[in-house]
Amino acid sequence: QVQLVESGGGLVQPGGSLRLSCAASRSILSFNAMGWYRQAPGKERELVATISSGGSTNYADSVKGRFTFSRDNAENTVYLQMNSLKPEDTAVYFCNAYTFMAAYWGQGTQVTVSS
């Protein structure tokens, strides 16, 4: 069973930055792709960013230019650097990993952007 453990969430003022981490219990290169999703209260879960096994990244239009998805293969950890945060970025952020056989989710970490 794969475990994904997110950390790094918290309360930040608008315009601030946070870095989320997601540590996997096995090599992240064993996954076809990994992603960050978020879910705000009363809204559906939405895709924020993805990274393929080859390292290619894609971002939702709402975060493009502000968020950066990166990884440390040796540490089996992926990161989401979030800059210029806005109140509308407030949500629970989830780490996701999938293979052709299964999808795995972390427990989520709360990000609150408020003055």
Side-chain angles (χ1 to χ4, degrees):
Q1 183 70 10
V2 174
Q3 290 187 325
L4 302 173
V5 180
E6 301 103 331
S7 61
L11 173 64
V12 63
Q13 292 186 341
S17 298
L18 283 174
R19 189 178 79 156
L20 305 183
S21 300
C22 172
S25 59
R26 77 182 200 200
S27 172
I28 59 175
L29 295 179
S30 69
F31 303 120
N32 294 99
M34 297 188 72
W36 285 99
Y37 290 73
R38 66 187 182 187
Q39 187 166 19
K43 295 188 176 181
E44 294 187 353
R45 190 171 297 188
E46 64 175 358
L47 177 65
V48 176
T50 61
I51 190 166
S52 71
S53 58
S56 299
T57 54
N58 283 287
Y59 299 92
D61 288 343
S62 58
V63 307
K64 204 170 290 184
R66 300 188 297 122
F67 290 12
T68 302
F69 198 159
S70 63
R71 67 187 185 188
D72 185 331
N73 298 335
E75 295 295 326
N76 294 324
T77 300
V78 296
Y79 303 96
L80 185 68
Q81 178 66 44
M82 305 185 296
N83 298 328
S84 302
L85 283 162
K86 304 175 182 180
E88 51 263 43
D89 295 317
T90 296
V92 178
Y93 284 70
F94 296 90
C95 179
N96 163 268
Y98 81 87
T99 69
F100 292 130
M101 300 296 294
Y104 308 96
W105 292 91
Q107 82 287 352
T109 186
Q110 176 71 46
V111 172
T112 303
V113 185
S114 175
S115 55

